[in-house]
Amino acid sequence: MKINSSKVAELAGVSRSTVSRVINNYSNVPEETKEKIMKVIKELGYIPNTNAQVLAGKTNKTIGLFVYGDNSEKRNILDSGLTFGYYLDLINRVLKESLKLEHQLLVDVVNDDSYSKIDSLFINRNIVGAIFIGFKGEDEKLEKLIQKGYLSVLVDYTLNPKVEAENIFYINTEDYEGAKLATDHLIELGKKNIIHISGNTEKLSSKERERGYLEAMNSAQLKPLIYNGNYNQLLAYDEINRILEEKVEFDAVFSANDNMSYGVLKALKEKNIIDIPIVGFDNLRNTIPLGIMSIAPDINKLAKEAVQSLIFQEKEKEKMKFIKTKLIKDLNEYLKESYLEECSL
C-alpha cells in the first residue's frame, strides 16, 4: 500500500490540506483533529516527502518568492533588468535579507498553471512560507491556495473580504499617497493639464495610484486626463504618440511606474519636446539620471518586512503594513537616497 498524505487524510477523515497544516505545525487546527491525524501518521509509519535536511531533523529554512507573469511575460521578467527592474530589485533585496537571517530563497515566475506546484512545495515542506508579488486582483486560484492556511505574504494585493484565511500578512507601498504627492508637485510647478499613464487596472497598486492622481486633480479643480499603459514601456510610448497625433493639450505626465516613464520620455524626445516634466513611480536606477522624477518606495524596508513576517510570524501582530514613499526630484536627492540606503543594508 502506498503511504502518502492523501492516504493519511482518507483514514483520518479530513482533507489533504488539513494533514499538511498538521505536518507543518500550523496553529489553526483543532487539537482533537491534530491528535487524530498524528495517530494515523504514527500507525502508518508515514514520513512526509520533504528534503534531506528536514528528514534529518533540521529545520527547513527556505522561503518561496513567486512573481506572477503569464507565458509572454515570464521570459521578460527573468531576462530584462530594464523592463522589470522593480521585480529584480525587490528579489535581490529579499535574497539579501533571507541570507542575513540564514534562510535560502526559492524564486519562480508563475502563471495560471503553476498553483499546484506551489501547493506541493507547501505540502512537502520544501518552503516554510511564501511571498507573492504582482498577482492580479481577486485571483481565484491564489485565494483558494491561501485559504489552506499556508504562511504567506501578499505584496500589492488584498484578499476578497469573503475569503477566510489565516497566516496571511499584507505589505503594500503607499501608492495612493505617493501618486497624490507626485501630482501635487506637478500642480505646484504650475502645470494644469497633467496626463496620467495608468498601470494594470487589475492590480491594487494601479488602482491606488490612479485614485491618488484623481484626488490631487479634483482638489485643484483640474480636469483628469487618464490613458492606460498597463505598466508596459511600449504601450506607454504608443499612447503618448497617439496623444500627440490627436493634439491633446498637456504640460506634464505622471506615469504609474518608471518603466512606462521611459516610453513617455522616448516618445517626447523623438518629437523634440523637452519641456514636459515627467514623474514616475518606483525610483529605478536609470530614472533620475534620465531627467525623470520618481516616487521612491522604501524597497529595502518592504523586503525586510516580508522576510521577517515569515520567519518571526509568532511575534508579528500587525497583519497589514504600508511602506512609505517619497518624491525624488533630482540627481542630488537620488544620490543622497542611494547613499543612505546602502548604509542601511
Side-chain angles (χ1 to χ4, degrees), residues 20-211:
S20 172
R21 289 198 292 273
V22 170
I23 291 172
N24 285 283
N25 200 29
Y26 288 139
S27 59
N28 60 333
V29 181
E31 195 61 36
E32 183 181 344
T33 303
K34 189 182 297 185
E35 289 176 1
K36 182 166 59 174
I37 292 171
M38 291 307 297
K39 182 181 178 182
V40 173
I41 288 175
K42 187 175 181 180
E43 289 174 352
L44 293 176
Y46 171 62
I47 299 176
N49 177 22
T50 184
N51 59 40
Q53 282 191 322
V54 177
L55 288 173
K58 298 179 181 179
T59 303
N60 180 16
K61 290 190 172 184
T62 301
I63 292 171
L65 191 156
F66 303 106
V67 181
Y68 182 85
D70 60 30
N71 290 329
S72 64
E73 292 177 318
K74 186 166 184 175
R75 182 174 178 180
N76 287 334
I77 291 174
L78 293 173
D79 293 346
S80 176
L82 175 63
T83 306
F84 293 92
Y86 173 78
Y87 287 149
L88 295 179
D89 193 16
L90 181 55
I91 290 168
N92 181 50
R93 291 163 196 258
V94 169
L95 175 60
K96 287 181 179 179
E97 184 64 21
S98 300
L99 294 176
K100 190 186 299 183
L101 296 174
E102 299 181 344
H103 278 63
Q104 296 176 320
L105 186 67
L106 169 68
V107 180
D108 197 7
V109 180
V110 301
N111 54 38
D112 293 337
D113 301 322
S114 305
Y115 293 92
S116 59
K117 177 181 176 182
I118 299 172
D119 194 21
S120 295
L121 288 171
F122 274 111
I123 289 172
N124 294 328
R125 296 181 67 190
N126 298 122
I127 54 177
V128 295
I131 301 168
F132 295 93
I133 304 171
F135 285 72
K136 298 175 182 178
E138 298 189 8
D139 185 317
E140 291 184 7
K141 291 184 179 179
L142 174 63
E143 294 182 352
K144 189 176 291 186
L145 188 69
I146 294 301
Q147 280 183 296
K148 295 184 178 182
Y150 299 140
L151 182 61
S152 305
V153 171
L154 302 181
V155 178
D156 187 17
Y157 196 95
T158 299
L159 277 182
N160 185 325
K162 296 180 181 179
V163 175
E164 295 183 6
E166 298 184 27
N167 300 314
I168 301 296
F169 297 93
Y170 303 92
I171 302 179
N172 297 312
T173 56
E174 290 185 340
D175 296 301
Y176 165 81
E177 293 83 354
K180 187 175 183 303
L181 178 64
T183 311
D184 281 339
H185 177 68
L186 292 172
I187 293 171
E188 288 168 5
L189 293 177
K191 307 305 176 182
K192 299 185 182 300
N193 299 299
I194 304 168
I195 283 177
H196 174 49
I197 305 296
S198 64
N200 186 325
T201 55
E202 294 183 280
K203 295 188 178 181
L204 178 65
S205 58
S206 179
K207 294 175 183 177
E208 287 296 287
R209 291 171 194 183
E210 183 173 318
R211 188 168 72 89

